[in-house]
């Protein structure tokens, strides 16, 4: 093992890191399941899991062993060769997603870039010279130039003009706005939406998941690709393997990342039906996409989610957390929303300061998004006892605050 010990970070110490993040002045040196630990051994309950990434919890022994064994065997050979673990990972992902073709990338944004390329290719094949994609207000699709252009958040786009002109924006959940856009823009070829908006504030459509069915119908009617961004909602997060499985529809294009690697950087863009075959030889690629190591991690994560019945657990324990929050906060002016282990508590006022209060006073790691929404993204395999622990800390936090 390494004999390097890092000095603790001093608050006034100059850093060479680009100042792109507003970081909390705390670091964790170790994790186990739903808990994180600082150097001095203080334990924190993690209801954020690295932003919906470590769905199986921290330092999962099966994943850790797979990484260690593969790292000591073979990490990377390139996509110039057959990679049996990549084929096996794709087989597993096809099984749980219902999709046909899979391309492995390294992040969420990169997966969405793949989806946008697929939509452009689809349009080009139909003689559309400047294909357009419908996206939603308050959406988040990533930080690359195309995905930030797709994102419905001015802060993400500010200063990065020119944006790509692929996108037409409609309110999330508004089906009539989509039909109106269809009348105005004959060059629309696809829709890209999140089943539940994560960064936007755990927003579900007013009509619930039937929004996805309505969007599917419109896509069929106009011969558009239905593309779902399940980078945050996928991999068991909402109590189904993918959130669209709360409905009877299947998208044409599906993207995921975050929980797919449990902390290892991987992503995927998947196709079925009329989207199959659009990206052929030479049309897309990635040096690191689907390395031997990354693919083995994906395979092992999916296999572990299946063996632990973690998706069912997310539905049951997540449902319990939502019910308890609604009951115990009934006298407060809050709205609890979400599915499975993707839960938002809409407070009546801006509450960004709750992140520090939760951390320092309740040893609880949470996130606040969209200004006034407490966002909970606990491990999908969280136990009932841990959920009670979470509820106790959270109810005390919110009761003290409101
Ligand atoms: C996190 C996220 C992304 C971007 O993923 P990165 O891995 O940060 O590029 C895109 N879409 C959604 C819905 C996300 O939650």
């Amino acid at each position: 093992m390494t004999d390097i010990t890092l000095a603790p970070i001093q608050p006034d110490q100059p850093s060479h890191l680009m100042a792109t993040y507003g970081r909390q002045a705390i670091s964790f040196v170790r994790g186990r399941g739903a808990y994180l630990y600082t150097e001095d051994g203080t334990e924190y309950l993690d209801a954020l899991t690295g932003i919906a990434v470590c769905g199986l919890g921290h330092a999962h022994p099966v994943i850790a062993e797979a990484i260690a064994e593969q790292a000591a065997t073979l990490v990377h050979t390139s996509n110039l060769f057959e990679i049996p673990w990549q084929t096996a990972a794709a087989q597993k992902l096809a099984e749980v997603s219902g999709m046909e073709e899979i391309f492995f990338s390294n992040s969420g944004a990169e997966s969405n870039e793949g989806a946008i390329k697929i939509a452009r290719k689809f349009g080009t094949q139909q003689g559309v010279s400047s294909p357009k994609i419908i996206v939603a207000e308050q959406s988040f699709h990533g930080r690359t130039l195309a995905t930030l252009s797709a994102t419905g958040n001015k802060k993400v786009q500010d200063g990065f003009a020119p944006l790509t002109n692929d996108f037409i924006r409609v309110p999330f959940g508004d089906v009539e706005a989509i039909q109106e856009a269809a009348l105005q823009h004959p060059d629309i070829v696809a829709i890209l939406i999140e089943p539940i908006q994560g960064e936007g504030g755990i927003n579900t459509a007013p009509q619930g998941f039937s929004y996805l069915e309505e969007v599917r119908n419109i896509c069929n009617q106009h011969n558009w690709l239905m593309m779902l961004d399940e980078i945050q909602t996928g991999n068991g997060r909402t109590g189904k393997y993918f959130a669209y499985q709360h409905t009877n529809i299947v998208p044409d294009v599906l993207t995921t990342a975050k929980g797919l690697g449990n902390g290892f950087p991987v992503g995927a863009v998947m196709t079925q039906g009329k989207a199959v075959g659009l990206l052929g030889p030479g049309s897309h690629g990635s040096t690191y996409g689907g390395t031997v190591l990354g693919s083995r991690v994906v395979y092992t994560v999916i296999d572990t989610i299946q063996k632990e019945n973690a998706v069912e657990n997310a539905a049951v324990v997540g449902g319990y957390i939502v019910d308890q929050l609604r009951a115990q906060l009934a006298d407060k002016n809050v709205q609890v929303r979400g599915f499975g282990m993707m839960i938002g508590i809409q407070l009546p006022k801006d509450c960004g300061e709750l992140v520090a209060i939760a951390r320092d006073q309740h040893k609880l790691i949470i996130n606040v998004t969209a200004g006034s929404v407490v966002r909970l993204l606990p491990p999908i395999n969280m136990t009932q006892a841990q959920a009670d622990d979470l509820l106790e800390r959270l109810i005390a936090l919110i009761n003290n605050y409101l």
Side-chain angles (χ1 to χ4, degrees), residues 107-109 112 140-142 194 229 231-232 258:
S107 69
N112 283 338
F140 183 79
H141 297 296
E194 299 156 84
D229 177 345
I231 287 157
Q232 191 161 153
K258 293 201 165 95

Side-chain angles (χ1 to χ4, degrees), residues 142-164:
R143 300 281 193 161
T144 62
L145 285 169
T147 59
L148 76 80
S149 301
T151 292
N153 180 343
K154 286 274 169 286
K155 277 192 242 164
V156 172
Q157 300 174 338
D158 207 26
F160 299 117
L163 304 182
T164 75

Side-chain angles (χ1 to χ4, degrees), residues 89 125 186 248 305 354 359:
Q125 285 195 352
N248 290 319
I305 288 175
L354 274 182
R359 183 192 66 221

Side-chain angles (χ1 to χ4, degrees), residues 252-292:
D252 301 302
V253 179
L254 177 68
T255 59
T256 197
K258 293 201 165 95
L260 184 63
N262 211 57
F264 194 90
V266 284
V269 55
M270 304 171 248
T271 60
Q272 68 85 37
K274 62 178 182 253
V276 167
L278 288 166
L279 294 185
S283 60
H284 201 42
S286 165
T287 298
Y288 291 128
T291 61
V292 187

Side-chain angles (χ1 to χ4, degrees), residues 62-142:
V62 176
I63 316 291
E65 196 195 326
I67 292 173
E69 193 185 285
Q70 195 58 49
T73 306
L74 186 66
V75 170
H76 171 77
T77 56
S78 91
N79 286 301
L80 297 173
F81 305 101
E82 291 290 344
I83 302 171
W85 277 114
Q86 193 182 114
T87 309
Q91 167 76 39
K92 273 269 187 218
L93 194 49
E95 206 177 283
V96 293
S97 68
M99 305 301 280
E100 280 175 50
E101 278 187 337
I102 291 157
F103 178 90
F104 287 108
S105 61
N106 312 285
S107 69
E110 227 185 283
S111 307
N112 283 338
E113 285 278 340
I116 294 163
K117 281 179 73 172
I118 288 169
R120 283 192 179 183
K121 199 72 185 277
F122 180 68
T124 304
Q125 285 195 352
Q126 293 173 52
V128 180
S129 59
S130 183
K132 297 278 185 286
I133 302 168
I134 292 182
V135 289
E137 289 170 7
Q138 272 96 50
S139 63
F140 183 79
H141 297 296

Side-chain angles (χ1 to χ4, degrees), residues 198-328:
E199 304 304 303
I202 317 286
N203 304 326
T204 49
Q207 65 274 54
F209 285 120
S210 64
Y211 175 50
L212 300 183
E213 288 160 359
E214 293 163 8
V215 168
R216 176 75 268 182
N217 282 336
I218 297 173
C219 286
N220 292 348
Q221 190 188 329
H222 297 286
N223 190 34
W224 298 342
L225 294 179
M226 178 176 182
M227 313 203 295
L228 290 181
D229 177 345
E230 293 231 29
I231 287 157
Q232 191 161 153
T233 53
N235 307 290
R237 179 55 51 193
T238 73
K240 295 282 183 185
Y241 210 97
F242 286 97
Y244 79 79
Q245 292 161 348
H246 288 283
T247 72
N248 290 319
I249 61 104
V250 184
D252 301 302
V253 179
L254 177 68
T255 59
T256 197
K258 293 201 165 95
L260 184 63
N262 211 57
F264 194 90
V266 284
V269 55
M270 304 171 248
T271 60
Q272 68 85 37
K274 62 178 182 253
V276 167
L278 288 166
L279 294 185
S283 60
H284 201 42
S286 165
T287 298
Y288 291 128
T291 61
V292 187
L293 176 57
S295 299
R296 179 157 177 192
V297 171
V298 168
Y299 180 94
T300 309
V301 166
I302 298 173
D303 193 53
T304 306
I305 288 175
Q306 290 174 323
K307 286 183 175 143
E308 288 191 11
N309 292 319
V311 181
E312 296 75 6
N313 184 78
V316 172
V317 179
Y320 169 76
I321 293 172
V322 167
D323 289 348
Q324 287 297 314
L325 287 173
R326 284 184 181 145
Q328 296 191 48

